[in-house]
Amino acid sequence: MLKLYNSATHRKEEFVPNEPGKVSMYTCGPTVYHFAHIGNLRTYIMEDILDRYLRYSGYEVKRVMNITDVGHLSSDGDTGEDKMLKGAKREKKTVMEIARYYTDCFFADAEKLHIRRPDVIEPATQCIDDFIKVISALIEKGFAYEAGGNIYFDTSKLKEYYIFNDFSSEDLAVGVREGVEEDGNKRNKADFVLWFTKSKFEDQELKWDSPFGVGYPGWHIECSCISMKHLGERLDIHCGGIDNAFPHHTNEIAQSEAYLGHKWCNYWMHVLHLNTDSGKMSKSKGEFLTVSLLESKGYDPVVYRFFCLQSHYRRSLVFSYENLDNAAVAYRKLIARIAALKAKQGEAIEQEKLEALRAKFASALDNDLNTSLAITAIYDVLKSDANVATKRAAIADFDTVLCVDLLKNADAYAAEEAKKAEAAANTVRVYSDDPEIRAIEEAIDARAAAKKAKNYAEADRIRAELLAKGIVLTDTAQGTTWSKA
Ligand code: AMP
Ligand code: ZN
């Protein structure tokens, strides 16, 4: 039974979907003004684990992700420049060119990290009519008002606004003091923009006609409308990074429930941030950490996924190359151990043992997606008394969720090792010119041949004969070496 921590109720809850056997899942997609950094991708990796684990558990999942290509301003509130416009100016391209380019880059990175493509991917600019419909209804119901040319959501009309409790109007006021200009049009400090016609940045490139004037949508309305468009009025799970909880998700709940007149989403999953040693990860400060940068430094993207899985999604995680190197070493050791499982032809899977191993794996993920325990379940497989076919079947099964190329890389590793051993066996020995040394070398080779033929008595006899002459043999992975006693 899957238990998930629900940020809206602040506790771990048994997951029960609206419709038995089916799950609707919405994920806030990227703002496509730049490459995704590996922090963004931590969130998408952990959401991918949820998506894949739900499917593994037998649910039919429909997952929707938006692409934010308009309306996300530099502050997550209603101030600052549109991020897309900023990207377009930086690269002297149009907003749509920027959007297309970085959307493709995002999905290319996601593929490298084995993040499953959502069933529906919807750019905000494709849904303007849907936004207008919902905003018009909110005005009609008295939840929205016009001021200074913009349309605002009136948070004072709600019984409860701060759903995630981590923020209060006091915190918001601090945000305002920290140099964000206060918008004098707002009736209440927490009100937010649904539709802009007037903003400090009159040069907004993308504008649409609407009953409220020519303008563009706010960021929050995008996710509410795109979710409702594809997943209906009752959503099972909504996910995002923790920074999305406020104001973005708080505003999504406010406007969706005001529009629908009933509860909208049952479970909220938030992934904590990936930070650097010096604090918050950023696209402008310090080294811009992308998947391509990691690749250029020789890391397999799958190692980054493994690094993320080693910790729980509700704990913030510190990225450093040292930490990533530790994950890479652990990963390589794990792969080497799996590679040692040599499949025997015709060996049958021991079903009962396989089920017991699967149960351990599932109980780890059932507990609010404890991925580090799920990795421990792989070591349990290696230690178990099951036969090789069963062990390999269990590992293949777990990897449909973890997706860190376990058997693929183990088989590649085993093939590489076999190649090395073959090359070593085929090297023609060049004997020493010194007759005494040559005799020792020949004896070593004769001993190796005896061992290969399983004639251990002969091998031991040769070793003893050399020892009697004061020559000590040492067996290493690379072959046998000798020294004088
Ligand atoms: P954005 O492209 O800025 O809209 O963000 C995409 C996703 O990444 C959102 O779900 C954010 O909450 C999430 N996110 C942003 N920064 C981080 C970070 N440092 N660590 C983890 N997730 C993040
Ligand atoms: Zn969103």
Side-chain angles (χ1 to χ4, degrees), residues 28-31 33 37 39-40 42-44 47 72 83 219 240-244 271-275 281 283:
C28 286
T31 309
Y33 70 112
H37 59 52
N40 302 128
R42 177 196 192 196
T43 291
Y44 294 110
E47 292 164 346
H72 192 173
K83 291 190 180 188
W219 171 40
I242 189 66
D243 59 309
N244 282 165
V271 180
L272 267 83
H273 273 184
L274 180 76
N275 299 314
M281 189 157 293
K283 298 186 186 187

Side-chain angles (χ1 to χ4, degrees), residues 26-29 66 68 219-220 222-224 238-239 244 248-249 252:
Y26 185 83
T27 309
C28 286
N66 69 308
T68 299
W219 171 40
H220 318 301
E222 294 176 8
C223 287
S224 288
H238 193 311
C239 358
N244 282 165
H248 185 48
H249 293 162
E252 279 188 47

